[in-house]
Amino acid sequence: MRRFNVTGTCVPDENYMVDITGKLEQIKAMIDDKAYFTINRGRQYGKTTTLSQLESFLADDYTVISISFEAFDEEEFANAAIFCQVFLDVIHQALRFSGVSEAYRESWLNKNVTTFSSLSRHITNMCEGKKLVLLVDEVDKASNNRVFLGFLSKLRDKFLARRVKKDFTFHSVILAGVYDIKNIKLKMIQEGLHIPSVGESAVHNSPWNIASSFKVDMSFSALEIETMLTDYEADHQTGMDVSKIANEIHHYTGGYPVLVSGICKHIDEELEKEWLVVNVWYAVKSLLIARDSPLFDSLIKNLSSNEKLASMTYDILMRNGHWSFTYSNPLVGLGARYGYFKETNGRVGIFNPIFEMMMTAYFVSLDKSDQISASIKGDDRADIVVNGVFNMQACLEKFAKYYHEHYRHRDIHFLHDEARYLLLFFLNPILNGKGFVHKESEAQDKERMDLVVTYLNQQFIVELKIWRGEKRHESGYHQLQRYMTNKNLQEGYLLTFDFNQKKQTGSKWVEVEDGKRIFDMRV
């Protein structure tokens, strides 16, 4: 029986697969150009799956040697002699089903290869007259190792010599992992694992500075997700609106492969194959509360171990902070390599709503100083949730009371920065695992933010704004109305924070066009 696989290592013909032919063609074009490059993406981003499909895709034109450093033990990096012999043995095994002759496969084994110089000569002999493509997965396993540094340097030297027709070597080499191998020497110097010689540059003498830039988008587009759902629908005939479901899945995941397959798996196995938009919401909620998630465990670990990365992420999430998206900023580059950041109109954005919600929950959980959490959790929520129906008007009214009771004497600058966070903090115990909230707005205006609150099968749009006068306030109605139309909702909610000394607070329902109405609250 074919299923959805959430490990990120789907096997063709055994699981429902997204058609990534377009991506494979782009990668093959780089290989045809004899490029050496790295595929750096976050955990469970489909790197291994892509390499597996690439191996088959290249089979007619190249001899592909696909290996992984995951199988290498630490002692196998102990010195060059051991590494060389293990490397040759792994290639020997990898060629078993490649179609090469048995004599050629056996000739890769050579007990006299015990130095990188002898390995270089051996590779020259083995590559002459051949079009060999070397795929190396899980290179992070070797990223702190001096022996691996020497191996990369030798591949680099052979690449440069080939360009002037003075050597034979692999036609193309692809390294796959999370971290950028180009900066491995700088990383090792910073960690005290490599001492540069006099005049040695960690950047310009990088053992992998010959690598071409890899610009293939590894995430799945909505159209690519459709290919998998169309395949599924052909088997099960559920009557789903394939395009609608694919777009909803893409909205929440940004096409992050393991999250896409996780949502599909949950609907298929836990929700009786009912492919409805509301069941995409239920599947998202299931992912968020899952106890065993290597991807989310890694996300929290990376934030908790890097204070600067966490601070930037908090500013983007909670304060609508604007950061230019440039890899020259090490934090931006790191967050992008992890798969947490994306470029949005030239600025850093969170890659998808699921990551945003996990990050928000993490930051909310760290707030140990505010004693209000106890009162929220103990609050009688009978007026907010009645028989499974969420009353957003009652929720905002209770928030207004909470806000005025506990924050009216706080510093205005603090409130300006943290007001949005307070609503998220307030909502968390009320949703109580039955819903979630995420930021929707991609606007450049730092003084507004759109939140979508989902509770069971209900959704609400809440726009947060800073009071800047009546005229600008009324323009907020039109912004919110357009967004309500996009989400096919008849009601919206506008929460405005007024930091003026003589502010006027209160709430009212405002009728807008097309029979829609907005609950307008000012605090």
Side-chain angles (χ1 to χ4, degrees), residues 231-400:
D231 189 16
Y232 177 94
E233 183 65 9
D235 284 348
H236 297 279
Q237 299 181 357
T238 68
M240 81 167 88
D241 186 330
V242 171
S243 179
K244 189 174 184 179
I245 297 300
N247 277 283
E248 194 73 6
I249 292 172
H250 185 266
H251 168 74
Y252 283 101
T253 65
Y256 201 107
V258 72
L259 298 178
V260 171
S261 58
I263 289 175
C264 293
K265 178 181 173 67
H266 187 79
I267 295 175
D268 176 59
E269 298 180 6
E270 305 296 332
L271 299 178
E272 300 181 349
K273 297 179 172 58
E274 292 189 35
W275 292 83
L276 307 171
V277 167
V278 66
N279 281 349
V280 175
W281 304 346
Y282 282 121
V284 169
K285 183 189 68 176
S286 176
L287 290 180
L288 291 171
I289 62 176
R291 293 184 178 181
D292 183 18
S293 172
L295 177 63
F296 294 154
D297 290 345
S298 176
L299 184 154
I300 299 305
K301 177 183 177 182
N302 289 332
L303 288 180
S304 61
S305 63
N306 191 322
E307 185 177 346
K308 291 182 179 179
L309 179 64
S311 179
M312 173 185 283
T313 304
Y314 181 93
D315 185 60
I316 294 167
L317 275 175
M318 303 301 189
R319 298 171 181 161
N320 238 14
H322 288 174
W323 294 77
S324 295
F325 191 92
T326 170
Y327 274 93
S328 61
N329 182 326
L331 292 178
V332 174
L334 182 62
R337 282 194 296 277
Y338 284 152
Y340 307 155
F341 293 164
K342 66 177 180 179
E343 187 270 333
T344 303
N345 297 322
R347 291 188 168 93
V348 178
I350 304 303
F351 187 80
N352 60 42
I354 291 179
F355 283 164
E356 177 204 316
M357 289 183 278
M358 283 302 301
M359 293 168 173
T360 299
Y362 168 70
F363 290 127
V364 168
S365 73
L366 293 181
D367 194 330
K368 305 296 185 182
S369 62
D370 198 331
Q371 299 302 314
I372 306 304
S373 59
S375 65
I376 297 173
K377 292 177 182 178
D379 183 49
D380 180 9
R381 297 192 295 269
D383 293 335
I384 298 177
V385 182
V386 180
N387 296 325
V389 177
F390 194 95
N391 188 326
M392 181 55 72
Q393 176 180 340
C395 179
L396 293 181
E397 289 171 343
K398 282 185 176 289
F399 172 76

Side-chain angles (χ1 to χ4, degrees), residues 65-77:
I65 303 173
S66 182
I67 68 175
S68 173
F69 280 159
E70 180 68 25
F72 278 51
D73 295 325
E74 187 173 336
E75 56 266 26
E76 291 170 330
F77 290 101

Side-chain angles (χ1 to χ4, degrees), residues 140-152:
D140 295 319
K141 183 76 179 288
S143 64
N144 283 339
N145 197 284
R146 289 178 61 91
V147 170
F148 180 58
L149 194 68
F151 172 66
L152 289 182

